[in-house]
Amino acid sequence: MPSESPLPVLDLAHLSAMTGGDAELSQEVIGIFREQAQIWSRLLDPLSEARQWADAAHTLKGASLGIGALKLAAACERAEKAGRAETPPSPAHASVLISEIKDALGETLEAAARAAYDLASAAKRSAS
């Protein structure tokens, strides 16, 4: 049985499709994502009420899907489902789920920074 291919950290084709190929808009969307990530990641505390971190995971999932951060969106979805389950996960399981989000978020923020830099560099080259 073939294994599934891993989800991309940042699907730049998806980002381009979401922004109509507009590099300036892509940079703006990346900036908004980075701001949202900073706000919502603070609420990812495995010791807080499950509903709270599930809501933060849900919001972060939406922001992730907007830029094509599919790996992060998948981690957020797993945590969201677990946090909203009839029986919430144990603090240890919540810690694992939230750690997966934070690891994917770190990768995504690095990829987003590279993408923003590349988009800005391309815009400068084309303006020259």
Side-chain angles (χ1 to χ4, degrees):
M1 176 185 262
S3 65
E4 291 182 34
S5 61
L7 293 171
V9 172
L10 185 60
D11 183 344
L12 295 177
H14 177 87
L15 176 61
S16 181
M18 294 295 288
T19 59
D22 184 326
E24 192 173 305
L25 182 56
S26 292
Q27 288 177 279
E28 187 177 333
V29 168
I30 288 171
I32 292 167
F33 169 79
R34 293 166 81 178
E35 289 171 13
Q36 290 290 307
Q38 184 179 24
I39 292 166
W40 291 101
S41 65
R42 291 185 204 137
L43 299 176
L44 295 172
D45 180 356
L47 299 178
S48 65
E49 185 180 325
R51 179 75 54 191
Q52 176 182 312
W53 54 258
D55 287 348
H58 172 77
T59 302
L60 199 50
K61 177 182 73 175
S64 301
L65 291 171
I67 66 164
L70 304 181
K71 183 177 179 180
L72 176 56
C76 289
E77 184 171 350
R78 286 190 296 274
E80 178 188 4
K81 285 181 179 178
R84 293 185 177 178
E86 193 172 313
T87 304
S90 68
H93 186 214
S95 291
V96 169
L97 292 166
I98 291 171
S99 289
E100 289 175 359
I101 292 174
K102 289 186 176 185
D103 289 347
L105 179 59
E107 287 180 281
T108 301
L109 289 171
E110 285 180 27
R114 279 192 306 275
Y117 175 81
D118 291 345
L119 288 164
S121 296
K124 286 179 186 175
R125 283 192 302 272
S126 68
S128 304

